[in-house]
Amino acid sequence: MSTAPHRHLGARDNPLLVRLRKLAHDPGGYRRHGGVWLEGEHLCAACSERGPPVRQAVLSESGWARAELQALARVAETIAVVPDAQFAKLSALESPASIGFLIDPGALFTEAIEPGVPTVVLDRLQDAGNVGSILRSAAAFGVRQVVALKGTAALASPKVLRAGMGAHFSLRLVEGVEPAALDAIGLPLVATSSHAPRSLLDGALPKPCAWVFGHEGQGVAAAIAARCSELRRIPQPGGEESLNVAAAAAVCLYESMREA
């Protein structure tokens, strides 16, 4: 726990505030500016409980007046307090939070795929909300690793982080992967297709396996589907054409967990 005193920042062109504004409003900013910005009490608490070291805590002046946020901030190496109006400029939320943490990207990501563990593969998913929701489902249903192929939304963008609700801290994350690297997973790949002859409930799934979820409009790329040992369709007796990819992922991952 940090014992460093807090410091007040006022100038809007302070280098720390300039950097944080870039991280807060640029989805891939963590790749260019060397930091991941976690905004809000829930994300910061999740990071404090099971996440990587916190380099910097930043609080609004009104947030610093709350004892529980002061206590949460003490996990950081350094603490900065800024006027409420300046903190609002760091926020992508309609109602700005009062606390944020800055962590190193290297603490969230790894370059190497771990073989033989339950995995989710993301193939060019574009919507940050979908990506974050899938990460949340993966963590909830016992998946240990998420591998994002090139073209997938940035896993540590502010929107993905918010949708993930702390799931990032329970997962091994690998991003920017080429399709050939999927061989390193060493498990059967399984994907969904509305045209697959077998349903999700038609016979046991491989255990363990790597589930592949594809682009919201195009689905799993043909070259990736060709690598899959199985394609399954999700029964939809209500007659809808397809499920949202995040909903489909939750159904598939639950079924894998149920059968295990």
Side-chain angles (χ1 to χ4, degrees):
M1 180 175 292
S2 171
T3 58
H6 67 282
R7 58 193 176 105
H8 286 263
L9 302 179
R12 62 177 299 172
D13 61 349
N14 178 280
L16 173 62
L17 299 182
V18 170
R19 182 186 182 202
L20 292 180
R21 283 196 294 271
K22 292 177 180 178
L23 294 175
H25 298 287
D26 180 356
Y30 62 93
R31 297 166 179 161
R32 288 179 284 277
H33 306 297
V36 174
W37 173 240
L38 308 175
E39 182 185 358
E41 186 174 355
H42 181 92
L43 265 182
C44 291
C47 181
S48 173
E49 291 169 5
R50 60 184 190 276
V54 180
R55 302 304 181 199
Q56 175 79 60
V58 182
L59 293 86
S60 65
E61 289 179 340
S62 59
W64 183 249
R66 295 170 53 188
E68 68 275 18
L69 294 190
Q70 281 196 34
L72 180 57
R74 294 295 181 190
V75 303
E77 295 178 5
T78 59
I79 303 169
V81 180
V82 303
D84 286 20
Q86 290 301 321
F87 194 95
K89 296 180 185 299
L90 308 178
S91 177
L93 303 175
E94 291 185 10
S95 299
S98 299
I99 187 171
F101 284 172
L102 181 65
I103 63 174
D104 293 335
L108 278 185
F109 294 99
T110 181
E111 294 183 0
I113 292 174
E114 182 178 356
V117 300
T119 298
V120 160
V121 177
L122 303 178
D123 176 24
R124 300 165 298 119
L125 271 73
Q126 300 298 295
D127 184 84
N130 284 336
V131 172
S133 293
I134 292 173
L135 265 60
R136 192 175 180 188
S137 293
F141 295 130
V143 172
R144 287 177 49 186
Q145 178 171 247
V146 173
V147 176
L149 296 175
K150 283 188 174 180
T152 298
L155 296 189
S157 74
K159 287 184 179 180
V160 173
L161 286 162
R162 289 196 299 273
M165 297 288 285
H168 289 68
F169 309 125
S170 300
L171 296 164
R172 183 183 183 91
L173 302 175
V174 188
E175 68 174 0
V177 170
E178 297 286 356
L182 297 180
D183 291 343
I185 296 174
L187 295 175
L189 302 183
V190 183
T192 61
S193 169
S194 59
H195 306 295
R198 299 181 71 190
S199 85
L200 184 64
L201 306 179
D202 185 14
L205 293 163
K207 303 189 228 1
C209 69
W211 275 101
V212 184
F213 302 107
H215 185 280
E216 289 84 352
Q218 303 168 11
V220 175
I224 304 299
R227 290 175 170 268
C228 293
S229 63
E230 292 198 35
L231 298 177
R232 298 288 188 104
R233 57 181 168 80
I234 299 174
Q236 294 171 223
E240 291 297 321
E241 180 180 354
S242 63
L243 291 174
N244 167 274
V245 65
V251 170
C252 294
L253 296 176
Y254 174 80
E255 182 61 18
S256 278
M257 181 198 69
R258 188 189 67 82
E259 290 187 11

